[in-house]
Amino acid sequence: MAGSRSHHVHGRCSDGEGSLPPGSAGRHRADGRREPRPSAEGPTARALHEVTELSRALFEAPSAGEILRLAMHHVAAAGPYRAEAGYLEVDGDLVPSPGNARARAASVDRRVRELEGQDGPVTVLDRPWGRALGLRGTERLHGYLVVTSRTRPTRAQRSLLATLVRHTAAALSVAFAQRLQREAAQELHRVREDRAALQRQLNSVVSELGNQRAVHALMADIAASGGGEEAVTRALHELTGLPALVEDRFGRLKAWSGAGRPDPYPEPDPVRRNHMLHAVAREAGPVRMKDRLIALVRPHGEILGVLALVDALGEADEHTLCALEHAAASLALELTHLRTLAEVELRLHRELVDDLLAGTDAASAYARSEAVGHDLHRSHYVVVVEWSNRTADDSFARAVGRAASAVGMHSLVTRRSDHVVLVADDRPHARALHEALARETGTPSGTIGVSAPSDSVPDIPHRYREARRALEVRLHSRERYGTTFFDELGLYRILGPGADHRELEGFVHEWLGQLIDYDSRHHATMVETLSRYFDCGGNYDEAAASLAIHRSTLRYRLQRIREISGNDLANVEDRLNLQVATRVWKIVLGGSG
C-alpha cells in the first residue's frame, strides 16, 4: 500500500522510496540515502525507467493479487501519486485489496462500484486529485486501481500512470489466461480419468457376460489400431463376420468395414433420422431396425453417432449384441476424448483470435500463435462465415474449421453471435471453401466474406471489418449465397456504414493510382483533366473550355488516360468508378491523391 515503502522484487529489497530493483533508480550511499544516477537523464526518464522495471516485475508476479499489490506499492514511480485502493474482479464482483486504507475504504468502495466499469474521479480528503482507473483486458474488466495526488499531475506523469495501468491490466490478462489454461488442463485430466474408469467398468462387464475372450480381443484390436471409427468397424467386422459401419449423428457415413457398402451412400432424411434416434434411445442396448443392429454412441447422454452391424439374414446372437454394445462404448470413450481435446484446442484458438480481432500487441500474439502451432508471421486473410441453417455455436465453428482444413487452409477459428471467423494464412479459393461447407452443412445457403491481405498483427482488426463489409454486401445482393472478396467490391467498398478515410484512399488508389503517379512523374494534369471531363457531363466543348485547352488536346489526353489507367471510359462500370474516384480525390482528399 501507499503507506508502506518496503517491498521485495526479484528477491531484492527495495529502498525507502518504494523503488524497483537496484539499477532502476540509482545506488545507495553509505549513510543509507540513495545516490542519484551518474547519467544525465531527467526525472521523467528515471520515472519511465522505473515504470519499465515495474512492468517486468508485474509479468513475473505469481498471482493476480501480487500483481495488484506491486502496482499499488510502486504507483509513486509514475509521479506524485498514492494508491488509495485496489480491486480485483472475482466471479462478477469487485473484491477490495487487503491493503486498502480502512478510513477511506467505504467512500472509495462506494464510488468505484458506482462507476460500473468506467474510469472516473474519486474524492479523498486532503487529496485534490483522484481517479479510479479500470484494469481492462480485451474482453473483461480485471479490477480497479484508485490513485490520488496532492498536486495535479503533469501530462508526462499522467502518461506514465496510464502506462503503468496498461501494463498492470496486461499482466492481469496474462494471469487470467494462465489460470484458464490450468483449469483446461485439470478438466482434460478429469476426462482422462473418467475414460480410464469407464474402461475398467467395461472390462468388468465383459467378464460377467461370459464372452470375455472374444470381447477382450475386440477391445485389443481397437486399441492397437488407434481407437478411431475405422479401427472399431474393422475389429467388429472381423469378430462378428458382419459388415460394420459408423455414421455421425446426422446419418453421414464415417467408416465401413466389410462387403456391401452402398455407392453412393444414400443421403440422410433429417426427419426420419431423428425419429430413428429417438426410438433407439428409448431402448436399453442395441436395437434392430430392418436389416441393421444399431447401437448409439452416446457418452453422458449426448448422441455423437451410430455404430451398426448389417444383419440381413438375422444371424446375430447374444454374443454379437454384446460385442456391438461394448464396441459402441469404446467408441464413445474415444470420441469423447477427441472431442474434449478439440474443444480445448478450439478454446485456445478462439481466445487468440478474439484478441487479434480486438487488437493486441504483436509480440504476445506471435508467442501465443506458436504455442498453438500456427505461424502468424505470414500474410493472413480474415474470413467471415454465416450459414442460413446453422447458429454460430461451437459445433458450427468446428465444422468451418474442418471445411477449411479439407481445402488446405491453415487457420485459427473463433465465433461471434451470428458468424464464424477464420484468420487464414492464405487467400481462400473463390468456391472451394463454400463448396466444402455446403457438404458439411448439407446446404449451399451460406455466405462468406474475405478481407484484403494483412501483413501485420495490428492490421487484423481493420481486415476483420473489411471481411464483414464483403459479407454484408453479398447478403444484400441478388445472389446472396457464395464468397465475396473485399478487394473485388469496387464502389461498394466505400458505400454504406463503416467506410473510413483509409478505405476511401484505397479506392482512389485502385482507380486513379496510375494516373496520379503519371502526373507526379511528368508534372501533368491527367487526373484534373478527367475530373473536369466528368464535371462537365462528358461534354467535350465545355470540358476543353474549363481547362483552357483545345478540343483536340482534350481528346488526346482522354486517350492517354485510357492507355495509362487501362480503364475504358465507354464501359459503364469503369466510368462510374472513375467518376466517383475523381470526386473523392477532389472533395475528400483535397485533390492530393
Side-chain angles (χ1 to χ4, degrees), residues 240-528:
T240 64
L242 299 173
L245 63 111
V246 174
E247 295 175 339
D248 66 14
R249 193 199 183 291
F250 306 102
R252 299 183 183 89
L253 185 66
K254 305 291 288 185
W256 181 293
S257 291
R261 173 177 173 171
D263 187 17
Y265 201 77
E267 282 292 320
D269 183 318
V271 176
R272 292 182 180 178
R273 183 70 178 182
N274 283 332
H275 288 163
M276 185 273 288
L277 292 178
H278 286 119
V280 177
R282 287 194 294 266
E283 305 294 332
V287 175
R288 178 175 288 277
M289 290 283 181
K290 296 183 178 179
D291 64 343
R292 292 187 178 184
L293 289 170
I294 297 173
L296 297 182
V297 181
R298 185 172 54 173
H300 309 299
E302 180 184 8
I303 300 175
L304 298 182
V306 164
L307 177 63
L309 289 170
V310 180
D311 183 28
L313 301 178
E315 299 173 337
D317 56 16
E318 62 182 59
H319 299 304
T320 303
L321 295 176
C322 177
L324 175 60
E325 186 171 4
H326 285 89
S330 178
L331 182 58
L333 289 172
E334 183 63 26
L335 294 183
T336 300
H337 175 64
L338 294 175
R339 186 174 186 178
T340 301
L341 291 176
E343 288 173 351
V344 171
E345 183 179 6
L346 181 63
R347 186 186 311 159
L348 294 176
H349 284 200
R350 182 188 304 158
E351 291 170 358
L352 173 57
V353 179
D354 289 343
D355 287 350
L356 291 172
L357 299 182
T360 188
D361 64 287
S364 172
Y366 289 141
R368 292 166 63 190
S369 66
E370 289 177 7
V372 298
H374 187 85
D375 182 9
L376 201 57
H377 291 274
R378 300 179 59 182
S379 179
H380 278 69
Y381 292 78
V382 179
V383 181
V384 178
V385 180
E386 185 176 318
W387 229 255
S388 62
N389 68 335
R390 297 293 295 270
T391 56
D393 53 13
D394 285 347
S395 174
F396 184 53
R398 286 192 293 269
V400 173
R402 287 194 301 270
S405 297
V407 297
M409 293 173 58
H410 302 284
S411 59
L412 300 170
V413 186
T414 190
R415 61 181 175 84
R416 291 293 188 265
S417 59
D418 57 353
H419 59 265
V420 170
V421 184
L422 295 171
V423 177
D425 65 359
D426 197 6
R427 179 183 174 95
H429 186 271
R431 296 182 302 276
L433 180 59
H434 189 274
E435 292 172 354
L437 272 167
R439 291 191 293 271
E440 277 280 346
T441 60
T443 173
S445 303
T447 308
I448 301 172
V450 184
S451 74
S454 170
D455 294 323
S456 66
V457 167
D459 197 36
I460 289 179
H462 177 72
R463 299 307 178 192
Y464 175 45
R465 292 191 292 272
E466 290 182 350
R468 293 186 64 182
R469 171 69 63 77
L471 180 78
E472 290 166 3
V473 169
R474 185 65 183 238
L475 286 172
H476 290 88
S477 66
R478 293 182 63 185
E479 296 183 9
R480 58 182 312 214
Y481 300 132
T483 302
T484 295
F485 294 85
F486 179 80
D487 53 14
E488 298 176 357
L489 288 181
L491 180 59
Y492 292 104
R493 288 169 56 178
I494 62 173
L495 294 179
D500 57 24
H501 198 272
R502 182 176 175 180
E503 291 176 359
L504 293 174
E505 288 181 337
F507 179 77
V508 170
H509 179 75
E510 179 181 347
W511 288 95
L512 300 179
Q514 292 175 311
L515 295 176
I516 292 171
D517 291 343
Y518 180 88
D519 286 350
S520 177
R521 291 194 306 269
H522 298 87
H523 305 288
T525 58
M526 292 297 181
V527 180
E528 179 63 26

Side-chain angles (χ1 to χ4, degrees), residues 5-323:
R5 296 300 186 187
S6 110
H7 179 68
H8 286 76
V9 181
H10 301 298
R12 297 173 182 258
C13 249
S14 64
D15 60 29
E17 296 300 319
S19 64
L20 288 166
S24 63
R27 298 176 304 216
H28 293 276
R29 302 193 312 194
D31 58 3
R33 290 181 295 171
R34 190 168 53 192
E35 180 179 332
R37 276 184 179 275
S39 66
E41 62 183 356
T44 300
R46 290 196 299 272
L48 180 59
H49 182 75
E50 290 191 25
V51 170
T52 302
E53 291 296 318
L54 172 59
S55 174
R56 296 173 184 169
L58 290 172
F59 280 92
E60 293 174 359
S63 66
E66 180 63 10
I67 291 170
L68 182 61
R69 195 183 72 80
L70 272 174
M72 292 175 66
H73 190 74
H74 291 284
V75 72
Y81 302 114
R82 182 176 76 188
E84 299 291 342
Y87 297 82
L88 287 176
E89 193 278 342
V90 179
D91 296 330
D93 191 22
L94 289 174
V95 177
S97 169
N100 289 357
R102 295 181 180 177
R104 297 181 292 273
S107 61
V108 171
D109 186 77
R110 184 168 54 256
R111 175 56 179 156
V112 168
R113 296 179 190 280
E114 288 173 353
L115 292 173
E116 296 183 346
Q118 302 299 315
D119 293 355
V122 296
T123 302
V124 175
L125 187 63
D126 297 328
R127 308 294 286 185
W129 185 92
R131 291 289 186 275
L133 304 170
L135 303 171
R136 298 180 183 84
T138 55
E139 291 187 344
R140 67 192 298 271
L141 179 73
H142 294 301
Y144 268 96
L145 185 61
V146 181
V147 179
T148 63
S149 174
R150 289 188 180 276
T151 61
R152 184 175 183 82
T154 66
R155 182 176 181 180
Q157 290 166 344
R158 291 196 302 272
S159 177
L160 282 173
L161 178 60
T163 299
L164 186 148
V165 169
R166 286 196 301 271
H167 288 193
T168 302
L172 289 172
S173 294
V174 172
F176 178 74
Q178 290 172 343
R179 180 170 65 83
L180 289 181
Q181 289 177 350
R182 289 194 298 270
E183 291 173 355
Q186 292 171 357
E187 176 66 11
L188 186 57
H189 177 71
R190 185 192 66 78
V191 170
R192 286 174 173 168
E193 295 221 337
D194 287 348
R195 179 188 178 192
L198 287 172
Q199 188 69 51
R200 290 192 296 270
Q201 181 181 2
L202 176 62
N203 290 337
S204 175
V205 171
V206 169
S207 177
E208 294 173 0
L209 290 176
N211 196 26
Q212 183 176 16
R213 177 176 295 179
V215 176
H216 179 72
L218 170 67
M219 298 298 107
D221 288 344
I222 293 173
S225 303
E229 292 110 337
E230 293 287 349
V232 169
T233 56
R234 184 169 56 252
L236 192 58
H237 169 62
E238 291 175 357
L239 179 64
T240 64
L242 299 173
L245 63 111
V246 174
E247 295 175 339
D248 66 14
R249 193 199 183 291
F250 306 102
R252 299 183 183 89
L253 185 66
K254 305 291 288 185
W256 181 293
S257 291
R261 173 177 173 171
D263 187 17
Y265 201 77
E267 282 292 320
D269 183 318
V271 176
R272 292 182 180 178
R273 183 70 178 182
N274 283 332
H275 288 163
M276 185 273 288
L277 292 178
H278 286 119
V280 177
R282 287 194 294 266
E283 305 294 332
V287 175
R288 178 175 288 277
M289 290 283 181
K290 296 183 178 179
D291 64 343
R292 292 187 178 184
L293 289 170
I294 297 173
L296 297 182
V297 181
R298 185 172 54 173
H300 309 299
E302 180 184 8
I303 300 175
L304 298 182
V306 164
L307 177 63
L309 289 170
V310 180
D311 183 28
L313 301 178
E315 299 173 337
D317 56 16
E318 62 182 59
H319 299 304
T320 303
L321 295 176
C322 177

